[in-house]
Amino acid sequence: MSTEKTSVSGQGTHDVVNPEAAAAAVTAVDPRLLVREQGLAGYWGEFKRKMKAGELGSLPVVVGLVLICVIFQSLNSAFLSAQNISDITVTMVGTGMISVGIVFVLLLGEIDLSVGSVSGAASAIAAVLAVNQGMPEWLAVLLAIVAGAAIGALHGFFFAVLGAPAFAVTLAGLLFWLGFMLKILGENGTINLDSDGFIGKLTTYFFTDVAAAYGLAAVVVVVFFVTNFLGNRRRESVGIPSRPLSDIVLRTVLLAVVTFAGAIMYNQYKGLPLATVIFLGFLFGTDFLLRRTAFGRKVNALGGSVEASRRAGINVTAVRISVFAIAGGFSAIGGLFLASKIASANQSAGTGDLLMNAIAAAVIGGTSLFGGRGRTWNALLGVLVIVSIQYGLQLESIAEPVKYMITAAVLLTTVVIDSVTRKTQKTAGRA
């Protein structure tokens, strides 16, 4: 850094920092400005820097999705058909919603094994209230979600206040809420839902007007550009490094290609699915919560270091309870979508491979099992991988046991990548 010498009577010679030279030096070494300074070479240099530091981000899962599409499309031309992709994006919503809640818990470095049972219990509560008790479906749905959040908060209380391990608490919850679900469903074990009712339409309603899909795509692109542009203006006004306009335009164009391609695909089948719209809405909302609010920063800080967070004045107990409440609420929402898919609440709800798929989706998508790193968008990427594999194998009439083994192999690969990434970051001094 450039300095100037000055002498003060009685105090000797001191170094005085030249502000302009200092600003130039900071700009030159800030990796976020490589794109502005070097163009395409800057992108490549930034990419190599991140790879060396173990900052893989969502790259592995995106590459995996591309490979899955290439492999299954080569085996069966129906894999990338509009109908199959539409079915995949609707089917993934139930598990994806549960996985969003799991992301919050994993950010703390904890686990919630009860989400499957809670989702089943919530669907049973909604079915009993709406069908057996004659309550309006919208109100039954609201009470089921509140019940899920309350159950999660109860688990959080045992963990955060009484100090019981989250693993043990939620394992007990898995068994208890499974029994609770079986109890309220009664001897018959199944309550059929109206396929044309509020719950039924969650996964069966499509916006058939082509303007709906194109309009949503346009809104997403415009909001993305405006928020990034205004954010850059604010950063520049206070002298904080920001992305060049060309970078924002390039990202916006890439997003436009993806969103409008999706809109074209949906309009070739039944139209834009309501389930997908709701899921994307929750993803945008939770991403904003985690990245743009004080609560989100507290959650991420707590996953990094509990003691440091406590010393920083964060109410660790309140954050932990609220995170488990969020997980319970999203479990209930996911359970309602799963019930909508089969138009019933039955004894198998929340069982089988649902729990493992929800956790696997979060981890495969890029959320760290060690806490402190992840985004709710990881749930979307992860559940896309899992459901795409399931549909691809189904098209090829592959036996169910093979599906489990392939999903397990993908999960193991992701965990290994996560572990190697952490070691690489420690070596680079960035962990």
Side-chain angles (χ1 to χ4, degrees):
M1 183 178 294
S2 173
T3 59
E4 297 176 353
K5 300 292 184 178
T6 183
S7 177
V8 181
S9 178
Q11 296 181 14
T13 301
H14 298 270
D15 289 338
V16 178
V17 177
N18 184 322
E20 295 181 358
V26 172
T27 301
V29 299
D30 194 328
R32 291 173 296 184
L33 301 183
L34 288 174
V35 173
R36 173 184 291 178
E37 297 171 350
Q38 303 174 14
L40 292 177
Y43 277 106
W44 179 244
E46 179 74 349
F47 175 78
K48 291 192 295 183
R49 182 190 68 81
K50 287 184 176 182
M51 292 302 100
K52 290 180 180 178
E55 300 175 29
L56 301 179
S58 300
L59 180 62
V61 68
V62 171
V63 172
L65 270 174
V66 172
L67 290 176
I68 289 170
C69 292
V70 171
I71 292 172
F72 285 122
Q73 179 67 14
S74 65
L75 294 174
N76 193 317
S77 60
F79 182 77
L80 290 180
S81 66
Q83 178 179 350
N84 195 58
I85 294 177
S86 180
D87 289 343
I88 288 175
T89 57
V90 171
T91 301
M92 73 178 186
V93 173
T95 304
M97 285 289 192
I98 300 174
S99 187
V100 169
I102 287 290
V103 169
F104 278 83
V105 178
L106 290 179
L107 284 173
L108 296 183
E110 301 295 339
I111 194 67
D112 189 343
L113 301 178
S114 69
V115 291
S117 295
V118 173
S119 71
S123 66
I125 290 172
V128 169
L129 292 177
V131 178
N132 295 356
Q133 304 300 321
M135 182 179 292
E137 278 197 71
W138 68 267
L139 183 56
V141 166
L142 179 61
L143 292 178
I145 295 173
V146 170
I151 291 171
L154 179 63
H155 295 163
F157 172 80
F158 282 107
F159 165 59
V161 178
L162 302 185
F167 179 90
V169 171
T170 56
L171 179 60
L174 181 155
L175 298 173
F176 182 88
W177 300 114
L178 175 60
F180 175 82
M181 178 190 71
L182 298 177
K183 178 67 176 178
I184 66 173
L185 284 176
E187 295 181 359
N188 186 37
T190 300
I191 299 178
N192 293 321
L193 299 168
D194 182 6
S195 58
D196 292 324
F198 184 86
I199 299 176
K201 287 186 175 180
L202 287 175
T203 56
T204 60
Y205 185 82
F206 291 77
F207 298 96
T208 55
D209 192 330
V210 295
Y214 291 130
L216 179 61
V219 168
V220 170
V221 172
V222 170
V223 169
F224 177 83
F225 177 80
V226 171
T227 53
N228 278 270
F229 180 78
L230 295 179
N232 261 22
R233 293 287 296 273
R234 288 194 296 269
R235 294 172 69 88
E236 290 173 355
S237 66
V238 294
I240 299 176
S242 59
R243 297 184 184 278
L245 180 60
S246 58
D247 189 5
I248 298 177
V249 171
L250 176 61
R251 290 168 176 265
T252 303
V253 170
L254 292 175
L255 178 63
V257 170
V258 174
T259 53
F260 279 96
I264 293 172
M265 180 275 300
Y266 282 129
N267 285 332
Q268 289 179 349
Y269 184 48
K270 292 182 178 181
L272 181 64
L274 173 63
T276 305
V277 175
I278 295 175
F279 188 34
L280 290 176
F282 273 111
L283 287 173
F284 276 110
T286 51
D287 183 66
F288 180 85
L289 177 66
L290 283 176
R291 295 199 302 120
R292 301 293 184 180
T293 67
F295 174 77
R297 289 189 287 271
K298 291 175 182 178
V299 172
N300 283 284
L302 197 55
S305 172
V306 175
E307 186 57 32
S309 299
R310 184 178 286 110
R311 292 184 179 183
I314 295 176
N315 189 332
V316 174
T317 300
V319 173
R320 282 175 163 172
I321 292 176
S322 60
V323 163
F324 276 89
I326 290 172
F330 273 100
S331 297
I333 296 172
L336 293 170
F337 275 92
L338 293 171
S340 172
K341 190 68 178 173
I342 59 175
S344 68
N346 58 39
Q347 294 178 337
S348 64
T351 60
D353 59 356
L354 177 61
L355 170 63
M356 291 299 102
N357 282 343
I359 296 175
V363 177
I364 290 172
T367 303
S368 176
L369 281 168
F370 303 96
R373 190 180 80 246
R375 296 177 60 182
T376 50
W377 288 100
N378 296 148
L380 170 63
L381 293 173
V383 77
L384 266 177
V385 168
I386 291 175
V387 178
S388 295
I389 291 174
Q390 292 174 345
Y391 267 71
L393 295 176
Q394 185 176 324
L395 286 174
E396 294 302 306
S397 301
I398 303 297
E400 195 70 23
V402 179
K403 296 181 183 179
Y404 286 122
M405 289 188 286
I406 292 177
T407 304
V410 173
L411 176 59
L412 178 61
T413 302
T414 306
V415 174
V416 170
I417 291 174
D418 185 29
S419 299
V420 172
T421 297
R422 284 178 59 84
K423 292 180 180 179
T424 305
Q425 289 177 338
K426 287 181 179 180
T427 303
R430 302 182 63 86

